Amino acid sequence: MSESVPPTHTFTQIDDADLTGLNTLGLPARAQRLARPTTLDALSQVLAERNPAEPLFVIGEGSNLVICSDLPGLTLSLAIDGMSLVKQDNTHVWVAAGAGVHWDDLVAWTVEQGWQGLENLSLIPGTVGAAPFQNIGAYGVELSQLLEQVTVMDVVTAQVTHFAGNECEFAYRDSRFKSRDRGRYIITGIELRLNKMPQCNVSYGPLKARFGHLSQADILPAAVREHVIAVRQSKLPAPDVLANAGSFFKNPVVTKERGDALKRRFADLVAYTQPDGVKLAAGWLIEQAGWKGKRLGPVGMHSEQALVLVNHGNATSADVIALAEAVCADVQEKFGVALEQEPVLLP
Ligand SMILES: Cc1cc2nc3c(=O)[nH]c(=O)nc-3n(C[C@H](O)[C@H](O)[C@H](O)COP(=O)(O)OP(=O)(O)OC[C@H]3O[C@@H](n4cnc5c(N)ncnc54)[C@H](O)[C@@H]3O)c2cc1C
């Protein structure tokens, strides 16, 4: 379904904007022009006034970015707000949120209402608009399992389109917005379907240990959220304390034969059987390759969570890339496994 949006609203725009505080790795960079549209109309106006030949970037809270140099052209940071109940039946609620909403505000609001679904995704940094881009996931739950539809605006035509969840080509940390349609659409909002009766997923280790002995009816989303927050705070460095972009590499998936061969060589290999092969814990591979807590100049792999690359201060993107390459090379040499970087490189 498509509809046209008349350009009637205005928007704020900053020339030569400093992006250092707008990426959680704290890398120094500037945007030639940074615009923050607050409505669909304003976004459509920004696009209409833009020279189509100039580069266009979209950023959220910069928690999954490696900004390698200044961004030419126009950078958009959506400030489209709002969370609402769209409809409900006896068992489900449908909720909508604007792309500019802070993700964890949406989780907190739905859990406060007693609606179940988002609790495992508590405290993931970033915006609602970025969440479908890489199909955020944590503790056994992915956004794709709850997503009813994604609303997008085409960057060329400014047409608004709604994609049903099953049209978004979601995969592990991937979607059509990150892969084949990259740069074509701006995500402006999402709609989720959540449960009225709790059916919390506590299959993941730390949640199983805490809630595994309880019956489903006794596991409340608010309690799961509280525990997820406590576990995350104990394991992951907060970016405002130690700059980082979360997991720096995806967990690699190898064939069953390759996984079995690795298990024979490394008895304590951390691996999970998947329909398409065996998923290896990238953090374990990095730790075994000797990088946990190790530094290379101003950057390093975190001392508690080897998967998280941290900026100890004044790092440049060249420092980040040099460390990422060194880690990849050592994991490749020791295990014969290629790591894939999770954060997006800009420009
Ligand atoms: C401490 C920490 C923990 C984390 N834990 C997790 C985790 O458990 N699970 C997980 O999945 N991720 C995790 N992340 C990664 C990150 O939080 C998510 O990827 C998040 O969705 C990024 O949101 P953002 O607003 O910061 O996006 P940005 O980093 O600003 O952008 C990321 C990408 O999304 C694109 N994008 C952003 N907004 C839009 C839009 N409106 N339309 C189209 N494209 C857009 C950008 O162009 C860019 O390519 C973590 C990060 C940190 C720092």
Side-chain angles (χ1 to χ4, degrees), residues 33-81:
R33 282 190 300 131
L34 176 69
R36 274 183 67 75
T38 53
T39 62
L40 277 180
D41 286 358
L43 174 59
S44 139
Q45 187 180 348
V46 179
L47 293 175
E49 291 180 12
R50 153 185 179 252
N51 171 357
E54 73 177 352
L56 175 67
F57 303 96
V58 186
I59 61 169
E61 293 177 10
S63 64
N64 211 26
L65 296 180
V66 178
I67 306 183
C68 297
S69 62
D70 292 347
L71 303 186
L74 176 65
T75 298
L76 292 172
S77 167
L78 300 197
I80 298 174
D81 235 332

mmCIF file of all heavy atoms in Angstrom, residues 33-81:
data_model
loop_
_atom_site.group_PDB
_atom_site.id
_atom_site.type_symbol
_atom_site.label_atom_id
_atom_site.label_comp_id
_atom_site.label_asym_id
_atom_site.label_seq_id
_atom_site.Cartn_x
_atom_site.Cartn_y
_atom_site.Cartn_z
ATOM 1 N N ARG A 33 25.797 18.565 6.428
ATOM 2 C CA ARG A 33 24.495 19.095 6.856
ATOM 3 C C ARG A 33 23.779 18.006 7.628
ATOM 4 O O ARG A 33 23.719 16.864 7.170
ATOM 5 C CB ARG A 33 23.623 19.482 5.649
ATOM 6 C CG ARG A 33 24.013 20.804 5.023
ATOM 7 C CD ARG A 33 22.983 21.253 4.005
ATOM 8 N NE ARG A 33 22.818 20.299 2.929
ATOM 9 C CZ ARG A 33 21.648 19.846 2.493
ATOM 10 N NH1 ARG A 33 20.530 20.249 3.047
ATOM 11 N NH2 ARG A 33 21.595 18.994 1.494
ATOM 12 N N LEU A 34 23.242 18.352 8.786
ATOM 13 C CA LEU A 34 22.497 17.386 9.607
ATOM 14 C C LEU A 34 21.078 17.913 9.787
ATOM 15 O O LEU A 34 20.885 19.017 10.298
ATOM 16 C CB LEU A 34 23.171 17.225 10.977
ATOM 17 C CG LEU A 34 22.457 16.325 11.990
ATOM 18 C CD1 LEU A 34 22.504 14.862 11.546
ATOM 19 C CD2 LEU A 34 23.103 16.457 13.376
ATOM 20 N N ALA A 35 20.081 17.141 9.349
ATOM 21 C CA ALA A 35 18.682 17.572 9.483
ATOM 22 C C ALA A 35 17.940 16.605 10.392
ATOM 23 O O ALA A 35 18.180 15.392 10.353
ATOM 24 C CB ALA A 35 18.015 17.623 8.109
ATOM 25 N N ARG A 36 17.039 17.175 11.210
ATOM 26 C CA ARG A 36 16.255 16.345 12.149
ATOM 27 C C ARG A 36 14.762 16.586 11.921
ATOM 28 O O ARG A 36 14.142 17.375 12.636
ATOM 29 C CB ARG A 36 16.645 16.679 13.596
ATOM 30 C CG ARG A 36 17.854 15.886 14.068
ATOM 31 C CD ARG A 36 18.192 16.148 15.510
ATOM 32 N NE ARG A 36 17.210 15.665 16.472
ATOM 33 C CZ ARG A 36 17.036 14.393 16.804
ATOM 34 N NH1 ARG A 36 17.767 13.461 16.236
ATOM 35 N NH2 ARG A 36 16.144 14.057 17.697
ATOM 36 N N PRO A 37 14.171 15.912 10.923
ATOM 37 C CA PRO A 37 12.730 16.066 10.695
ATOM 38 C C PRO A 37 11.924 15.386 11.798
ATOM 39 O O PRO A 37 12.273 14.295 12.242
ATOM 40 C CB PRO A 37 12.506 15.375 9.344
ATOM 41 C CG PRO A 37 13.681 14.495 9.138
ATOM 42 C CD PRO A 37 14.813 15.018 9.952
ATOM 43 N N THR A 38 10.845 16.063 12.217
ATOM 44 C CA THR A 38 10.042 15.539 13.326
ATOM 45 C C THR A 38 8.747 14.881 12.852
ATOM 46 O O THR A 38 8.037 14.292 13.657
ATOM 47 C CB THR A 38 9.669 16.673 14.301
ATOM 48 O OG1 THR A 38 9.052 17.708 13.533
ATOM 49 C CG2 THR A 38 10.881 17.224 15.017
ATOM 50 N N THR A 39 8.426 15.019 11.571
ATOM 51 C CA THR A 39 7.193 14.422 11.034
ATOM 52 C C THR A 39 7.479 13.840 9.651
ATOM 53 O O THR A 39 8.502 14.154 9.031
ATOM 54 C CB THR A 39 6.082 15.482 10.863
ATOM 55 O OG1 THR A 39 6.559 16.444 9.910
ATOM 56 C CG2 THR A 39 5.731 16.170 12.168
ATOM 57 N N LEU A 40 6.527 13.039 9.164
ATOM 58 C CA LEU A 40 6.651 12.504 7.806
ATOM 59 C C LEU A 40 6.669 13.637 6.784
ATOM 60 O O LEU A 40 7.426 13.608 5.814
ATOM 61 C CB LEU A 40 5.470 11.579 7.498
ATOM 62 C CG LEU A 40 5.560 10.135 7.980
ATOM 63 C CD1 LEU A 40 4.306 9.392 7.573
ATOM 64 C CD2 LEU A 40 6.782 9.444 7.411
ATOM 65 N N ASP A 41 5.820 14.648 7.007
ATOM 66 C CA ASP A 41 5.779 15.784 6.078
ATOM 67 C C ASP A 41 7.131 16.489 6.025
ATOM 68 O O ASP A 41 7.622 16.857 4.956
ATOM 69 C CB ASP A 41 4.708 16.798 6.518
ATOM 70 C CG ASP A 41 3.300 16.299 6.240
ATOM 71 O OD1 ASP A 41 3.180 15.189 5.681
ATOM 72 O OD2 ASP A 41 2.348 17.004 6.588
ATOM 73 N N ALA A 42 7.717 16.695 7.204
ATOM 74 C CA ALA A 42 9.012 17.377 7.259
ATOM 75 C C ALA A 42 10.080 16.547 6.553
ATOM 76 O O ALA A 42 10.921 17.085 5.820
ATOM 77 C CB ALA A 42 9.403 17.627 8.714
ATOM 78 N N LEU A 43 10.033 15.233 6.748
ATOM 79 C CA LEU A 43 11.005 14.359 6.084
ATOM 80 C C LEU A 43 10.850 14.461 4.572
ATOM 81 O O LEU A 43 11.831 14.572 3.822
ATOM 82 C CB LEU A 43 10.807 12.908 6.553
ATOM 83 C CG LEU A 43 11.651 11.850 5.851
ATOM 84 C CD1 LEU A 43 13.145 12.140 6.006
ATOM 85 C CD2 LEU A 43 11.331 10.456 6.389
ATOM 86 N N SER A 44 9.599 14.461 4.123
ATOM 87 C CA SER A 44 9.353 14.546 2.690
ATOM 88 C C SER A 44 9.851 15.882 2.137
ATOM 89 O O SER A 44 10.395 15.956 1.034
ATOM 90 C CB SER A 44 7.861 14.303 2.465
ATOM 91 O OG SER A 44 7.337 15.129 1.538
ATOM 92 N N GLN A 45 9.730 16.943 2.951
ATOM 93 C CA GLN A 45 10.215 18.259 2.505
ATOM 94 C C GLN A 45 11.744 18.279 2.417
ATOM 95 O O GLN A 45 12.316 18.820 1.470
ATOM 96 C CB GLN A 45 9.726 19.348 3.458
ATOM 97 C CG GLN A 45 10.068 20.739 2.949
ATOM 98 C CD GLN A 45 9.603 21.837 3.884
ATOM 99 O OE1 GLN A 45 8.835 21.596 4.811
ATOM 100 N NE2 GLN A 45 10.073 23.042 3.642
ATOM 101 N N VAL A 46 12.404 17.674 3.417
ATOM 102 C CA VAL A 46 13.879 17.606 3.384
ATOM 103 C C VAL A 46 14.322 16.911 2.103
ATOM 104 O O VAL A 46 15.240 17.370 1.413
ATOM 105 C CB VAL A 46 14.428 16.807 4.595
ATOM 106 C CG1 VAL A 46 15.945 16.712 4.533
ATOM 107 C CG2 VAL A 46 14.019 17.417 5.900
ATOM 108 N N LEU A 47 13.654 15.811 1.779
ATOM 109 C CA LEU A 47 14.051 15.046 0.588
ATOM 110 C C LEU A 47 13.778 15.849 -0.685
ATOM 111 O O LEU A 47 14.572 15.831 -1.626
ATOM 112 C CB LEU A 47 13.310 13.705 0.543
ATOM 113 C CG LEU A 47 13.681 12.717 1.656
ATOM 114 C CD1 LEU A 47 12.802 11.467 1.587
ATOM 115 C CD2 LEU A 47 15.157 12.327 1.584
ATOM 116 N N ALA A 48 12.659 16.592 -0.694
ATOM 117 C CA ALA A 48 12.306 17.371 -1.887
ATOM 118 C C ALA A 48 13.322 18.487 -2.131
ATOM 119 O O ALA A 48 13.625 18.825 -3.274
ATOM 120 C CB ALA A 48 10.907 17.956 -1.721
ATOM 121 N N GLU A 49 13.854 19.065 -1.054
ATOM 122 C CA GLU A 49 14.774 20.198 -1.194
ATOM 123 C C GLU A 49 16.213 19.763 -1.419
ATOM 124 O O GLU A 49 17.080 20.581 -1.681
ATOM 125 C CB GLU A 49 14.688 21.082 0.060
ATOM 126 C CG GLU A 49 13.346 21.788 0.150
ATOM 127 C CD GLU A 49 13.227 22.675 1.377
ATOM 128 O OE1 GLU A 49 14.247 22.919 2.044
ATOM 129 O OE2 GLU A 49 12.103 23.111 1.658
ATOM 130 N N ARG A 50 16.455 18.476 -1.306
ATOM 131 C CA ARG A 50 17.827 17.976 -1.416
ATOM 132 C C ARG A 50 18.207 17.839 -2.888
ATOM 133 O O ARG A 50 17.391 17.477 -3.722
ATOM 134 C CB ARG A 50 17.876 16.638 -0.686
ATOM 135 C CG ARG A 50 18.891 15.669 -1.146
ATOM 136 C CD ARG A 50 18.765 14.340 -0.424
ATOM 137 N NE ARG A 50 19.774 13.447 -0.939
ATOM 138 C CZ ARG A 50 19.517 12.412 -1.727
ATOM 139 N NH1 ARG A 50 18.290 12.104 -2.057
ATOM 140 N NH2 ARG A 50 20.510 11.671 -2.174
ATOM 141 N N ASN A 51 19.486 18.100 -3.179
ATOM 142 C CA ASN A 51 20.012 17.816 -4.508
ATOM 143 C C ASN A 51 20.186 16.299 -4.613
ATOM 144 O O ASN A 51 20.962 15.720 -3.855
ATOM 145 C CB ASN A 51 21.360 18.541 -4.661
ATOM 146 C CG ASN A 51 22.084 18.136 -5.927
ATOM 147 O OD1 ASN A 51 21.610 17.276 -6.676
ATOM 148 N ND2 ASN A 51 23.229 18.752 -6.158
ATOM 149 N N PRO A 52 19.460 15.637 -5.530
ATOM 150 C CA PRO A 52 19.506 14.168 -5.567
ATOM 151 C C PRO A 52 20.905 13.613 -5.820
ATOM 152 O O PRO A 52 21.168 12.440 -5.544
ATOM 153 C CB PRO A 52 18.571 13.794 -6.720
ATOM 154 C CG PRO A 52 17.926 15.040 -7.175
ATOM 155 C CD PRO A 52 18.606 16.216 -6.559
ATOM 156 N N ALA A 53 21.815 14.466 -6.319
ATOM 157 C CA ALA A 53 23.174 13.971 -6.600
ATOM 158 C C ALA A 53 24.030 13.917 -5.331
ATOM 159 O O ALA A 53 25.081 13.279 -5.310
ATOM 160 C CB ALA A 53 23.839 14.872 -7.629
ATOM 161 N N GLU A 54 23.597 14.605 -4.254
ATOM 162 C CA GLU A 54 24.458 14.647 -3.062
ATOM 163 C C GLU A 54 24.265 13.382 -2.218
ATOM 164 O O GLU A 54 23.184 12.795 -2.192
ATOM 165 C CB GLU A 54 24.193 15.909 -2.224
ATOM 166 C CG GLU A 54 22.888 15.878 -1.481
ATOM 167 C CD GLU A 54 22.645 17.096 -0.601
ATOM 168 O OE1 GLU A 54 23.553 17.929 -0.439
ATOM 169 O OE2 GLU A 54 21.527 17.196 -0.076
ATOM 170 N N PRO A 55 25.324 12.962 -1.511
ATOM 171 C CA PRO A 55 25.207 11.767 -0.670
ATOM 172 C C PRO A 55 24.167 11.966 0.433
ATOM 173 O O PRO A 55 23.965 13.085 0.911
ATOM 174 C CB PRO A 55 26.606 11.616 -0.059
ATOM 175 C CG PRO A 55 27.507 12.433 -0.909
ATOM 176 C CD PRO A 55 26.678 13.539 -1.473
ATOM 177 N N LEU A 56 23.514 10.860 0.813
ATOM 178 C CA LEU A 56 22.495 10.896 1.866
ATOM 179 C C LEU A 56 22.796 9.790 2.877
ATOM 180 O O LEU A 56 23.021 8.639 2.489
ATOM 181 C CB LEU A 56 21.109 10.657 1.250
ATOM 182 C CG LEU A 56 19.942 10.540 2.241
ATOM 183 C CD1 LEU A 56 19.685 11.869 2.937
ATOM 184 C CD2 LEU A 56 18.678 10.071 1.521
ATOM 185 N N PHE A 57 22.818 10.140 4.142
ATOM 186 C CA PHE A 57 23.032 9.158 5.211
ATOM 187 C C PHE A 57 21.900 9.280 6.218
ATOM 188 O O PHE A 57 21.350 10.363 6.410
ATOM 189 C CB PHE A 57 24.369 9.405 5.926
ATOM 190 C CG PHE A 57 25.548 9.382 4.994
ATOM 191 C CD1 PHE A 57 26.056 10.565 4.472
ATOM 192 C CD2 PHE A 57 26.120 8.185 4.600
ATOM 193 C CE1 PHE A 57 27.124 10.556 3.585
ATOM 194 C CE2 PHE A 57 27.184 8.160 3.710
ATOM 195 C CZ PHE A 57 27.692 9.352 3.200
ATOM 196 N N VAL A 58 21.568 8.147 6.856
ATOM 197 C CA VAL A 58 20.580 8.163 7.938
ATOM 198 C C VAL A 58 21.271 7.604 9.171
ATOM 199 O O VAL A 58 21.901 6.537 9.095
ATOM 200 C CB VAL A 58 19.353 7.280 7.607
ATOM 201 C CG1 VAL A 58 18.289 7.435 8.692
ATOM 202 C CG2 VAL A 58 18.788 7.635 6.249
ATOM 203 N N ILE A 59 21.174 8.317 10.275
ATOM 204 C CA ILE A 59 21.717 7.773 11.523
ATOM 205 C C ILE A 59 20.639 7.836 12.599
ATOM 206 O O ILE A 59 19.713 8.640 12.521
ATOM 207 C CB ILE A 59 22.996 8.502 12.009
ATOM 208 C CG1 ILE A 59 22.718 9.982 12.297
ATOM 209 C CG2 ILE A 59 24.126 8.356 11.003
ATOM 210 C CD1 ILE A 59 23.857 10.676 13.025
ATOM 211 N N GLY A 60 20.775 6.950 13.589
ATOM 212 C CA GLY A 60 19.885 6.996 14.743
ATOM 213 C C GLY A 60 20.683 7.569 15.904
ATOM 214 O O GLY A 60 21.086 8.732 15.886
ATOM 215 N N GLU A 61 20.964 6.717 16.888
ATOM 216 C CA GLU A 61 21.785 7.165 18.023
ATOM 217 C C GLU A 61 23.249 6.779 17.837
ATOM 218 O O GLU A 61 24.043 6.890 18.777
ATOM 219 C CB GLU A 61 21.221 6.588 19.327
ATOM 220 C CG GLU A 61 19.852 7.166 19.647
ATOM 221 C CD GLU A 61 19.211 6.576 20.888
ATOM 222 O OE1 GLU A 61 19.882 5.846 21.644
ATOM 223 O OE2 GLU A 61 18.015 6.834 21.097
ATOM 224 N N GLY A 62 23.596 6.252 16.665
ATOM 225 C CA GLY A 62 24.994 5.956 16.364
ATOM 226 C C GLY A 62 25.584 4.837 17.209
ATOM 227 O O GLY A 62 26.794 4.792 17.427
ATOM 228 N N SER A 63 24.740 3.885 17.650
ATOM 229 C CA SER A 63 25.256 2.819 18.523
ATOM 230 C C SER A 63 25.696 1.588 17.744
ATOM 231 O O SER A 63 26.121 0.600 18.345
ATOM 232 C CB SER A 63 24.207 2.435 19.570
ATOM 233 O OG SER A 63 23.065 1.888 18.950
ATOM 234 N N ASN A 64 25.591 1.657 16.421
ATOM 235 C CA ASN A 64 26.058 0.526 15.612
ATOM 236 C C ASN A 64 26.806 1.037 14.389
ATOM 237 O O ASN A 64 26.664 0.503 13.298
ATOM 238 C CB ASN A 64 24.864 -0.342 15.189
ATOM 239 C CG ASN A 64 25.253 -1.797 15.046
ATOM 240 O OD1 ASN A 64 26.204 -2.257 15.686
ATOM 241 N ND2 ASN A 64 24.554 -2.522 14.202
ATOM 242 N N LEU A 65 27.613 2.076 14.616
ATOM 243 C CA LEU A 65 28.311 2.738 13.510
ATOM 244 C C LEU A 65 29.810 2.814 13.754
ATOM 245 O O LEU A 65 30.244 2.979 14.899
ATOM 246 C CB LEU A 65 27.826 4.190 13.369
ATOM 247 C CG LEU A 65 26.371 4.458 12.990
ATOM 248 C CD1 LEU A 65 26.145 5.970 12.920
ATOM 249 C CD2 LEU A 65 26.021 3.795 11.670
ATOM 250 N N VAL A 66 30.571 2.728 12.653
ATOM 251 C CA VAL A 66 31.976 3.147 12.663
ATOM 252 C C VAL A 66 32.054 4.267 11.629
ATOM 253 O O VAL A 66 31.989 4.010 10.423
ATOM 254 C CB VAL A 66 32.925 1.993 12.281
ATOM 255 C CG1 VAL A 66 34.370 2.497 12.269
ATOM 256 C CG2 VAL A 66 32.781 0.819 13.245
ATOM 257 N N ILE A 67 32.125 5.509 12.096
ATOM 258 C CA ILE A 67 32.181 6.641 11.170
ATOM 259 C C ILE A 67 33.650 6.886 10.833
ATOM 260 O O ILE A 67 34.452 7.247 11.697
ATOM 261 C CB ILE A 67 31.534 7.900 11.776
ATOM 262 C CG1 ILE A 67 30.100 7.583 12.243
ATOM 263 C CG2 ILE A 67 31.504 9.020 10.738
ATOM 264 C CD1 ILE A 67 29.336 8.773 12.786
ATOM 265 N N CYS A 68 33.981 6.646 9.559
ATOM 266 C CA CYS A 68 35.396 6.620 9.161
ATOM 267 C C CYS A 68 35.933 7.986 8.752
ATOM 268 O O CYS A 68 37.144 8.193 8.750
ATOM 269 C CB CYS A 68 35.588 5.632 8.018
ATOM 270 S SG CYS A 68 35.202 3.957 8.523
ATOM 271 N N SER A 69 35.048 8.890 8.330
ATOM 272 C CA SER A 69 35.501 10.236 7.968
ATOM 273 C C SER A 69 34.281 11.149 7.982
ATOM 274 O O SER A 69 33.162 10.684 8.206
ATOM 275 C CB SER A 69 36.153 10.236 6.581
ATOM 276 O OG SER A 69 35.198 9.845 5.617
ATOM 277 N N ASP A 70 34.500 12.435 7.721
ATOM 278 C CA ASP A 70 33.369 13.365 7.701
ATOM 279 C C ASP A 70 32.344 12.911 6.663
ATOM 280 O O ASP A 70 32.712 12.348 5.621
ATOM 281 C CB ASP A 70 33.860 14.775 7.357
ATOM 282 C CG ASP A 70 34.725 15.346 8.483
ATOM 283 O OD1 ASP A 70 34.715 14.758 9.591
ATOM 284 O OD2 ASP A 70 35.406 16.356 8.246
ATOM 285 N N LEU A 71 31.062 13.166 6.952
ATOM 286 C CA LEU A 71 30.000 12.739 6.041
ATOM 287 C C LEU A 71 29.634 13.895 5.116
ATOM 288 O O LEU A 71 29.154 14.934 5.582
ATOM 289 C CB LEU A 71 28.762 12.285 6.824
ATOM 290 C CG LEU A 71 28.975 11.150 7.834
ATOM 291 C CD1 LEU A 71 27.630 10.717 8.433
ATOM 292 C CD2 LEU A 71 29.670 9.952 7.201
ATOM 293 N N PRO A 72 29.857 13.723 3.802
ATOM 294 C CA PRO A 72 29.476 14.778 2.863
ATOM 295 C C PRO A 72 27.958 14.773 2.649
ATOM 296 O O PRO A 72 27.281 13.799 2.995
ATOM 297 C CB PRO A 72 30.204 14.367 1.578
ATOM 298 C CG PRO A 72 30.333 12.881 1.677
ATOM 299 C CD PRO A 72 30.427 12.543 3.146
ATOM 300 N N GLY A 73 27.429 15.855 2.082
ATOM 301 C CA GLY A 73 26.011 15.888 1.724
ATOM 302 C C GLY A 73 25.122 16.007 2.943
ATOM 303 O O GLY A 73 25.433 16.704 3.909
ATOM 304 N N LEU A 74 24.009 15.270 2.899
ATOM 305 C CA LEU A 74 22.963 15.398 3.923
ATOM 306 C C LEU A 74 22.932 14.170 4.826
ATOM 307 O O LEU A 74 22.923 13.033 4.346
ATOM 308 C CB LEU A 74 21.604 15.547 3.219
ATOM 309 C CG LEU A 74 20.366 15.599 4.113
ATOM 310 C CD1 LEU A 74 20.375 16.839 5.002
ATOM 311 C CD2 LEU A 74 19.101 15.573 3.252
ATOM 312 N N THR A 75 22.928 14.407 6.132
ATOM 313 C CA THR A 75 22.726 13.324 7.101
ATOM 314 C C THR A 75 21.394 13.573 7.801
ATOM 315 O O THR A 75 21.132 14.680 8.273
ATOM 316 C CB THR A 75 23.872 13.287 8.135
ATOM 317 O OG1 THR A 75 25.099 13.034 7.439
ATOM 318 C CG2 THR A 75 23.654 12.188 9.162
ATOM 319 N N LEU A 76 20.564 12.525 7.845
ATOM 320 C CA LEU A 76 19.258 12.635 8.498
ATOM 321 C C LEU A 76 19.284 11.888 9.818
ATOM 322 O O LEU A 76 19.780 10.760 9.902
ATOM 323 C CB LEU A 76 18.171 12.005 7.623
ATOM 324 C CG LEU A 76 17.846 12.713 6.319
ATOM 325 C CD1 LEU A 76 16.891 11.853 5.498
ATOM 326 C CD2 LEU A 76 17.227 14.068 6.615
ATOM 327 N N SER A 77 18.744 12.514 10.841
ATOM 328 C CA SER A 77 18.550 11.853 12.130
ATOM 329 C C SER A 77 17.078 12.081 12.479
ATOM 330 O O SER A 77 16.677 13.199 12.788
ATOM 331 C CB SER A 77 19.478 12.499 13.161
ATOM 332 O OG SER A 77 19.122 12.103 14.451
ATOM 333 N N LEU A 78 16.270 11.039 12.360
ATOM 334 C CA LEU A 78 14.820 11.223 12.488
ATOM 335 C C LEU A 78 14.419 11.502 13.933
ATOM 336 O O LEU A 78 14.886 10.834 14.851
ATOM 337 C CB LEU A 78 14.065 9.984 11.996
ATOM 338 C CG LEU A 78 14.253 9.559 10.542
ATOM 339 C CD1 LEU A 78 13.142 8.611 10.120
ATOM 340 C CD2 LEU A 78 14.314 10.741 9.604
ATOM 341 N N ALA A 79 13.552 12.503 14.096
ATOM 342 C CA ALA A 79 13.025 12.809 15.434
ATOM 343 C C ALA A 79 11.521 12.548 15.457
ATOM 344 O O ALA A 79 10.788 13.187 16.203
ATOM 345 C CB ALA A 79 13.343 14.257 15.787
ATOM 346 N N ILE A 80 11.072 11.606 14.619
ATOM 347 C CA ILE A 80 9.629 11.290 14.570
ATOM 348 C C ILE A 80 9.271 10.499 15.826
ATOM 349 O O ILE A 80 9.782 9.406 16.050
ATOM 350 C CB ILE A 80 9.286 10.483 13.298
ATOM 351 C CG1 ILE A 80 9.612 11.313 12.057
ATOM 352 C CG2 ILE A 80 7.825 10.055 13.311
ATOM 353 C CD1 ILE A 80 9.449 10.573 10.742
ATOM 354 N N ASP A 81 8.411 11.084 16.624
ATOM 355 C CA ASP A 81 8.120 10.590 17.968
ATOM 356 C C ASP A 81 6.815 9.807 18.015
ATOM 357 O O ASP A 81 6.142 9.688 17.016
ATOM 358 C CB ASP A 81 7.987 11.811 18.887
ATOM 359 C CG ASP A 81 8.923 11.696 20.055
ATOM 360 O OD1 ASP A 81 9.227 10.559 20.417
ATOM 361 O OD2 ASP A 81 9.332 12.745 20.590
#
